[in-house]
Amino acid sequence: DQQVKQNSPSLSVQEGRISILNCDYTNSMFDYFLWYKKYPAEGPTFLISISSIKDKNEDGRFTVFLNKSAKHLSLHIVPSQPGDSAVYFCAALQSNAGGTSYGKLTFGQGTILTVHP
Amino acid sequence: GAGVSQSPSNKVTEKGKDVELRCDPISGHTALYWYRQSLGQGLEFLIYFQGNSAPDKSGLPSDRFSAERTGGSVSTLTIQRTQQEDSAVYLCASSLIPGSSYEQYFGPGTRLTVT
């Protein structure tokens, strides 16, 4: 059961344009969401996060939007740069989970973003 | 550096052999996670250590997989009698729990190839 889904395996964008990466989740208990970026041969690095009490969080060129009713979030990158080319993972957790589930992230399959010069 | 380190970076082994993968988390991080990423797949959760609590082993794919965390720091993931389907990048992450964020810090991974 894939609780976090990134339905687009890849996305290609022109430099300077907006990149929109999408993520859907099925578990209504998830209340905290994170985006990670991964370059080849490196581990994922944290990019931006959002709590379910918000619907938007912005950090420089990166903005995450959360639509709780649709169980959907998106990452907007504007303007896109060639250095943004990487695999982007969406992740979710249930912050009030007890026991061994506390802090446990569930990841999507990832979307490969390619930004062309 | 002060990040998560993993060793070896690459491991090629023959089918049927045992392998050990090592993870050194960030000092002071109480939570440690193992994931694997198979070719073209997302991050698959394997096991989670939190402080002195019993680990969450719910993601281990078979009883050939086991992990230990000694002294609340270094962790070793062991795969016995390796199979070709075990070929993947094995990623370790650590985090500060409880903390103000749930960010996990990842190591560079160990690429395991079973021939």
Side-chain angles (χ1 to χ4, degrees), chain A residues 36-49:
Chain A
Y36 280 80
K37 180 170 73 173
K38 185 181 184 302
Y39 293 117
E42 295 182 10
T45 55
F46 170 74
L47 199 54
I48 193 169
S49 63

Side-chain angles (χ1 to χ4, degrees), chain A residues 20-31:
Chain A
I20 300 176
L21 298 116
N22 294 302
C23 178
D24 297 289
Y25 60 97
T26 57
N27 187 342
S28 59
M29 300 300 290
F30 287 147
D31 60 356

Side-chain angles (χ1 to χ4, degrees), chain B:
Chain B
V4 177
S5 61
Q6 292 185 245
S7 60
S9 55
N10 280 284
K11 176 72 176 177
V12 180
T13 189
E14 292 180 353
K15 176 182 173 181
K17 297 288 180 86
D18 298 351
V19 295
E20 281 190 355
L21 312 180
R22 178 187 168 103
C23 173
D24 283 271
I26 293 173
S27 178
H29 281 191
T30 59
L32 186 147
Y33 311 79
W34 282 98
Y35 297 88
R36 74 176 176 182
Q37 186 181 15
S38 303
L39 189 63
Q41 302 297 312
L43 275 70
E44 175 189 5
F45 166 77
L46 296 177
I47 188 168
Y48 164 35
F49 296 90
Q50 167 51 23
N52 295 322
S53 302
D56 178 351
K57 303 179 181 181
S58 60
L60 294 179
S62 78
D63 58 9
R64 296 186 294 106
F65 288 72
S66 62
E68 290 184 340
R69 188 178 186 192
T70 55
S73 182
V74 171
S75 177
T76 303
L77 177 69
T78 301
I79 309 173
Q80 295 179 309
R81 305 180 303 282
T82 51
Q83 304 294 312
Q84 288 187 330
E85 61 262 28
D86 300 334
S87 296
V89 176
Y90 288 81
L91 292 158
C92 174
S94 70
S95 67
L96 188 60
I97 297 289
S100 59
S101 77
Y102 299 93
E103 180 183 346
Q104 293 180 16
Y105 297 81
F106 283 82
T110 294
R111 180 174 295 278
L112 174 67
T113 304
V114 181
T115 61

